Amino acid sequence: MIPGQFDYVRAASLDDALRILTEREGEAKLISGGYSLLPILKLRLAQPGLLVDLRDVTGLDGIVETDDALRIGARATHRQINEHPIVRDHYPMLGELSGGIGDPQVRNWGTIGGSIAHADPASDWPAAILATGAQIVCRSSTGERVVPGREFFIDTFQTAVEPTEVVTEIRIGRRRPGSAGGYTKLERRVGDFATVGVCAVVAIADGRIGRAGVGVTGVSPSPYAATDAEAVLNGSAPSEDAFRRAGEAAAAMSEPTADVRGPVEYKRAMVAEMTVRSLRKAVERALSYA
Ligand SMILES: Cc1cc2nc3c(=O)[nH]c(=O)nc-3n(C[C@H](O)[C@H](O)[C@H](O)COP(=O)(O)OP(=O)(O)OC[C@H]3O[C@@H](n4cnc5c(N)ncnc54)[C@H](O)[C@@H]3O)c2cc1C
């Protein structure tokens, strides 16, 4: 398939990109890695009049840890995140998530900002955004706003980002002693999108889970925070019984449809199982990082 005609411009800076988005509102679309947008253009599911390429915009791919957050620039690729020493040493859950996205080519080009702005209902990053309660920084020519991750994903391919905004940064709460996360993705074969992906984070104090976050992808029109599972976990001792009950609660909130990846009941059962597996990993890591 061949895309429809469009103009193309490489923004020289973030301000330049924001100016163009404002001047050409309604017809301009950002392109970052292009790994989600180009297939859609080829299928003519989107026909923007202008593509604004972010590749020359500097300062959008940093990964730094501050007192309160891990800050990931929106143009950081899945590979940059996966290989970053801070992620390797302190955020194993983000490492396993980013390392399981697509294949090496996808990870070399695809960006975290593009992934969450695209909001494919089966993409991996939203599960982590929801579980960690991350914040999304959006810039427009009139200023900056910080959107809570749990208000960011609105529906299938729909987010809180305005057409005149650029996602600039993802802020994930800094890891504290006694806290950790785990991500488990069920895929038909290596490189596929998730049949089910579950991200679980826990903060353990005095032998109990003080705060839990569970984000689920692949089994509903939009990735969701499994708040019923979190309610089961909060205040519980970390045990197989609690994990199972949380898994059942996460599965009950799913809205899977039958497709090539399996029937509805299978997918529901897999939500429960992936939740248990992610919780086991999260708790083991949290207890070894006291
Ligand atoms: C073969 C293949 C396998 C894949 N497998 C997986 C997988 O297993 N898991 C997974 O999660 N994903 C997968 N993907 C998707 C991949 O991760 C994409 O890279 C990612 O979803 C989009 O990132 P991008 O930088 O390429 O965005 P682009 O394609 O450039 O843009 C996507 C959308 O986001 C918008 N956008 C981009 N950057 C910004 C920004 N900074 N601010 C605001 N809007 C922005 C664009 O306008 C566009 O609407 C796969 C893709 C392919 C082609």
Side-chain angles (χ1 to χ4, degrees):
M1 296 280 283
I2 299 171
Q5 279 205 333
F6 53 80
D7 294 334
Y8 170 85
V9 60
R10 282 165 81 142
S13 64
L14 181 57
D15 284 345
D16 194 29
L18 294 171
R19 179 186 56 77
I20 299 166
L21 286 181
T22 305
E23 283 174 5
R24 304 276 298 263
E25 185 176 354
E27 52 168 343
K29 203 155 181 50
L30 295 170
I31 181 164
S32 190
Y35 266 67
S36 289
L37 186 58
L38 289 180
I40 278 185
L41 294 183
K42 286 183 176 178
L43 292 168
R44 303 211 178 190
L45 295 173
Q47 292 192 273
L50 171 68
L51 288 191
V52 184
D53 198 332
L54 289 175
R55 75 171 65 187
D56 294 339
V57 176
T58 54
L60 281 186
D61 63 354
I63 300 174
V64 291
E65 206 178 27
T66 63
D67 284 348
D68 58 352
L70 175 70
R71 297 179 173 214
I72 305 176
R75 284 263 310 138
T77 63
H78 311 311
R79 179 180 169 193
Q80 281 172 324
I81 298 167
N82 182 256
E83 294 183 351
H84 199 280
I86 295 174
V87 172
R88 285 256 156 115
D89 293 347
H90 300 295
Y91 299 87
M93 179 262 286
L94 301 182
E96 66 196 340
L97 184 150
S98 51
I101 294 177
D103 52 34
Q105 211 176 337
V106 173
R107 294 194 288 276
N108 278 337
W109 279 91
T111 65
I112 185 171
S115 175
I116 63 168
H118 183 60
D120 186 302
S123 58
D124 296 290
W125 281 117
I129 302 291
L130 293 164
T132 59
Q135 296 180 318
I136 316 300
V137 184
C138 300
R139 276 275 294 276
S140 71
S141 50
T142 56
E144 185 176 282
R145 67 189 179 112
V146 179
V147 183
R150 292 194 172 194
E151 294 169 21
F152 188 80
F153 302 103
I154 292 172
D155 208 337
T156 310
F157 300 117
Q158 245 191 305
T159 71
V161 188
E162 299 291 341
T164 53
E165 287 180 323
V166 175
V167 174
T168 55
E169 191 173 83
I170 291 86
R171 294 179 186 161
I172 296 173
R174 187 186 169 117
R175 190 172 171 201
R176 305 287 175 201
S179 69
Y183 183 66
T184 316
K185 174 179 180 174
L186 176 69
E187 54 192 346
R188 286 178 304 170
R189 54 178 178 268
V190 173
D192 194 14
F193 276 89
T195 301
V196 179
V198 180
C199 181
V201 298
V202 293
I204 299 178
D206 302 325
R208 301 214 161 253
I209 298 173
R211 195 190 74 79
V214 180
V216 184
T217 191
V219 280
S220 48
S222 180
Y224 63 95
T227 48
D228 292 350
E230 294 166 357
V232 168
L233 294 163
N234 287 332
S236 299
S239 65
E240 277 295 308
D241 176 57
F243 300 166
R244 287 274 160 216
R245 285 187 292 116
E248 293 305 324
M253 290 182 72
S254 66
E255 301 172 56
T257 50
D259 59 18
V260 289
R261 292 185 171 85
V264 167
E265 287 317 313
Y266 167 73
K267 290 187 180 181
R268 281 229 174 81
M270 290 304 102
V271 175
E273 181 60 30
M274 297 308 124
T275 303
V276 171
R277 292 185 193 186
S278 291
L279 282 166
R280 280 188 197 134
K281 282 193 265 195
V283 167
E284 188 185 324
R285 287 170 180 161
L287 293 175
S288 65
Y289 186 65

